[in-house]
Amino acid sequence: MSQKFSDGLKITPRKSRTSKSGAVCSYGMSESERDKDEEKYAKHLVKNYTHQDISELLDFAQPATTAGQDAAELETGFISNLMERILAGEKLPTKMGLNSRLLVQFAREIGKWTNGGSSRKFEKPLYKHFTNFALFVAQCLKSKAASKNSDIARLILPAERTDYKPDDSNDSHRIDVGLAVRGTDASVKCVSLGCYADMLCIAEAKKNRALDKDALAQLFMYSVNMYMRQPNRRYLWGLTICADEVYACLMLNDGFFVSPAMRISELAGRKMLISWLVRWSMCPEDRLGYDPTMHRVTAHSEADGGGSYNVKVDDRMYTIDCYDDKSQEITTYITKRTITSADDMLGRHTWCFVATRYSGSGTDSSATEVVIKDAWSPAKHPPLEDPRDEIRLLRKIHDTFEDDTPDHIYPNMLVGGHVRLDQKDMSTIDTTDAIFNVAGVDRIDPPCDSDTKSAWKHQPLRAHRRAHLDDVDDEESSGDDDSDTGDKPTKGSNDPLVKRSAHVDAILADLEKVLDKFKSKALAAL
């Protein structure tokens, strides 16, 4: 519907792309033009935000305990030795308790990869080579997972489809290989993995080593879809495969770190790739980039009280723990719908939800709806004393106007604070420092006066903050005036959506008046 202004001019509102939650863009750009724009941006990220040959990168995926790290080393050595024996044509003794038939089958494809050289005629065979490598490692880990006191937490399995467009994609991009997390009791085989929402990471392949920058650019272009579909991701992992060289990539809010090349044609390179898959199978979930305070609720989840929510898998509802810095208490909510989602590889990765209290026994349709905002905000150290902290500012507004509410709109925060993780048996604020600390690396504030890309440890500090906002205007703050309130909600209205809608209408009306004045002046100037 177009809007008509006082001078007779009409403006047609921009259409929204509802397939991308929270985003609004013009349909005036063709799909090919959008793809070129995204490709250009991805290359900008590679040039200006990517740091390569980071030897410490594997430490970001280490198991949390020394015993776990030692176990990961033992598993890596065992699997590497086993792979080399099979590649050399040795027949395994049956007493090892392994599925030799499957391992030999997987190793056959791995052997083609190791002997393929630094350039290939086609890219597609690389998908099968890598898929079988991942299955080989998973099969070895599964054989150990059933043993007593095993440190293996999960299996990393490849998707059954390759070179495909995920079902929840809103563009034409096709990923090469997707990796998923499955329980240790899962069958070792390629899995159904149709959506970005279900992926651990993406592996992008190129047919020769010289295309490593192009592979990274594609990885960034496609991985943003996981941020858009997975609100419980703190950061992302990814892999690039350039002929016989593999790179692991860690993607944070302000920078991307790439491991040294793992050359599959060499024993050391094969062992290093095994090491990555083993550590992803054994590390805590927060080191995979997941937020342990936010859990997806599905029909197969035990977190919903035995299916009491009757939630379909594709509904993608989440339970969210909101920690309050002031009371030091945790309130749990369940999301009902998404207002906006993260849509960029860089920045705050802001999500906003409409949610209700979660009791663990079912949903209450009459429960009050609230808004939850989750974001990685720029911060100063220490984060709790940061003067820019919007949690502190919202709390100050609430406390200041608690008894004498002014006649204007302000968000009323009921619960707000920093997301907290359990690290080394301690409650830790989730920040960029917390991510670096698991690897034993000290983050350094980037220089303010530099126009060039700094060293990889020079990363801005961000704090993971979460606020639960009540109705924009509640019954108690609507004042004592019973007269006509115009665009404001009537006193006593308990529907938060009605109140928000009325406030938005009032804001739009004011903006329209300003626009009318601006247009009048512009026309007079002409």
Side-chain angles (χ1 to χ4, degrees):
M1 181 184 293
S2 60
Q3 286 183 299
K4 184 176 287 186
F5 293 91
S6 56
D7 53 11
L9 295 176
K10 292 197 299 182
I11 293 180
T12 301
R14 178 182 294 177
K15 296 178 180 179
S16 88
R17 292 178 68 191
T18 54
S19 57
K20 186 174 180 180
S21 179
V24 178
C25 68
S26 173
Y27 278 116
M29 183 182 290
S30 69
E31 186 174 346
S32 62
E33 288 173 327
R34 286 197 301 271
D35 289 345
K36 287 180 181 178
D37 193 51
E38 290 175 1
E39 183 179 352
K40 183 178 179 181
Y41 179 59
K43 290 181 177 179
H44 167 76
L45 297 180
V46 172
K47 180 180 178 181
N48 296 287
Y49 292 90
T50 303
H51 305 266
Q52 295 183 290
D53 294 320
I54 309 302
S55 58
E56 299 95 331
L57 198 60
L58 183 61
D59 294 334
F60 285 84
Q62 288 279 24
T65 65
T66 302
Q69 294 166 16
D70 292 341
E73 284 293 330
L74 288 174
E75 293 296 342
T76 298
F78 169 78
I79 297 172
S80 175
N81 179 265
L82 193 64
M83 182 180 289
E84 297 309 312
R85 290 170 65 182
I86 297 177
L87 289 175
E90 183 179 336
K91 189 174 181 180
L92 300 179
T94 56
K95 65 180 181 180
M96 293 185 69
L98 298 168
N99 191 328
S100 300
R101 182 186 60 80
L102 273 180
L103 292 178
V104 170
Q105 176 185 318
F106 299 148
R108 192 175 297 118
E109 279 297 326
I110 298 171
K112 296 177 184 178
W113 194 8
T114 64
N115 298 320
S118 61
S119 182
R120 311 297 171 98
K121 187 175 181 180
F122 300 106
E123 176 184 299
K124 193 170 183 178
L126 292 171
Y127 310 158
K128 193 172 183 180
H129 300 339
F130 171 73
T131 292
N132 279 269
F133 196 105
L135 290 173
F136 187 102
V137 175
Q139 181 63 45
C140 293
L141 291 175
K142 181 177 175 62
S143 68
K144 295 289 192 71
S147 62
K148 189 176 180 181
N149 299 323
S150 171
D151 292 294
I152 300 165
R154 63 191 72 86
L155 300 179
I156 307 300
L157 298 175
E160 59 188 5
R161 288 192 289 170
T162 58
D163 185 26
Y164 69 102
K165 176 183 175 181
D167 299 334
D168 55 354
S169 173
N170 66 333
D171 54 40
S172 60
H173 298 150
R174 303 172 68 87
I175 68 169
D176 291 338
V177 182
L179 289 179
V181 172
R182 292 293 186 268
T184 55
D185 58 345
S187 299
V188 177
K189 61 181 181 179
C190 294
V191 298
S192 175
L193 186 61
C195 298
Y196 283 116
D198 304 319
M199 293 179 188
L200 167 65
C201 68
I202 295 169
E204 278 302 306
K206 293 294 178 185
K207 62 183 180 181
N208 66 62
R209 296 178 187 172
L211 296 174
D212 59 320
K213 298 285 195 302
D214 291 343
L216 275 175
Q218 282 191 307
L219 180 66
F220 296 160
M221 273 197 299
Y222 306 162
S223 292
V224 70
N225 288 282
M226 287 196 289
Y227 273 134
M228 292 165 54
R229 305 293 188 269
Q230 299 183 34
N232 61 333
R233 291 308 287 264
R234 302 163 62 232
Y235 54 81
L236 299 176
W237 289 102
L239 294 167
T240 59
I241 305 164
C242 302
D244 65 336
E245 291 185 342
V246 180
Y247 300 85
C249 181
L250 173 61
M251 294 165 268
L252 300 183
N253 303 70
D254 299 285
F256 314 115
F257 311 137
V258 182
S259 72
M262 294 172 269
R263 192 161 292 178
I264 301 303
S265 56
E266 300 174 359
L267 188 154
R270 294 192 289 274
K271 186 173 182 179
M272 184 56 69
L273 181 54
I274 291 170
S275 186
W276 274 101
L277 293 170
V278 167
R279 278 156 179 76
W280 282 345
S281 301
M282 298 177 69
C283 69
E285 64 175 343
D286 62 285
R287 300 189 187 191
L288 290 177
Y290 291 105
D291 181 350
T293 68
M294 187 182 296
H295 295 280
R296 183 168 160 189
V297 179
T298 70
H300 305 294
S301 172
E302 295 179 359
D304 60 0
S308 57
Y309 281 99
N310 193 28
V311 179
K312 295 180 181 178
V313 172
D314 58 359
D315 281 342
R316 299 195 189 14
M317 298 168 71
Y318 287 80
T319 58
I320 306 177
D321 293 335
C322 292
Y323 179 85
D324 188 77
D325 286 340
K326 187 175 182 180
S327 67
Q328 299 184 359
E329 295 179 349
I330 296 175
T331 307
T332 303
Y333 298 88
I334 185 166
T335 62
K336 298 187 70 174
R337 59 187 177 277
T338 300
I339 300 173
T340 188
S341 62
D343 60 358
D344 199 325
M345 292 296 290
L346 298 174
R348 293 170 171 255
H349 296 159
T350 302
W351 280 81
C352 288
F353 307 95
V354 174
T356 58
R357 288 286 294 270
Y358 176 75
S359 64
S361 59
T363 54
D364 183 357
S365 58
S366 64
T368 302
E369 292 183 343
V370 300
V371 173
I372 294 178
K373 178 184 177 183
D374 182 281
W376 284 79
S377 308
K380 291 184 177 180
H381 188 81
L384 288 173
E385 299 176 14
D386 185 357
R388 300 175 299 174
D389 179 5
E390 63 181 339
I391 302 292
R392 294 180 67 192
L393 296 175
L394 287 171
R395 182 167 281 118
K396 184 175 182 180
I397 291 172
H398 178 271
D399 293 344
T400 301
F401 297 134
E402 186 173 10
D403 298 323
D404 186 18
T405 304
D407 189 19
H408 63 216
I409 301 170
Y410 70 91
N412 181 24
M413 188 186 73
L414 297 186
V415 176
H418 294 76
V419 175
R420 291 182 173 265
L421 308 175
D422 290 328
Q423 291 184 349
K424 298 179 180 179
D425 297 324
M426 295 177 59
S427 179
T428 304
I429 295 176
D430 194 12
T431 63
T432 315
D433 282 338
I435 296 173
F436 273 71
N437 288 343
V438 300
V441 176
D442 293 327
R443 181 198 59 85
I444 304 171
D445 288 327
C448 298
D449 55 351
S450 175
D451 294 329
T452 59
K453 184 166 64 177
S454 303
W456 74 278
K457 295 180 184 179
H458 291 160
Q459 296 294 317
L461 178 65
R462 289 184 180 271
H464 191 185
R465 293 166 176 150
R466 189 173 291 158
H468 149 199
L469 306 176
D470 196 9
D471 311 342
V472 175
D473 184 17
D474 60 23
E475 184 175 353
E476 284 127 14
S477 64
S478 58
D480 296 325
D481 185 6
D482 291 331
S483 61
D484 183 17
T485 57
D487 289 316
K488 294 176 63 177
T490 58
K491 182 179 178 180
S493 174
N494 290 317
D495 187 345
L497 297 182
V498 171
K499 296 173 185 178
R500 292 189 197 107
S501 176
H503 282 303
V504 170
D505 290 343
I507 293 171
L508 291 176
D510 290 340
L511 289 175
E512 186 173 331
K513 293 175 184 177
V514 172
L515 183 59
D516 281 339
K517 293 179 181 179
F518 174 78
K519 287 169 57 183
S520 299
K521 292 181 180 180
L523 291 172
L526 294 174

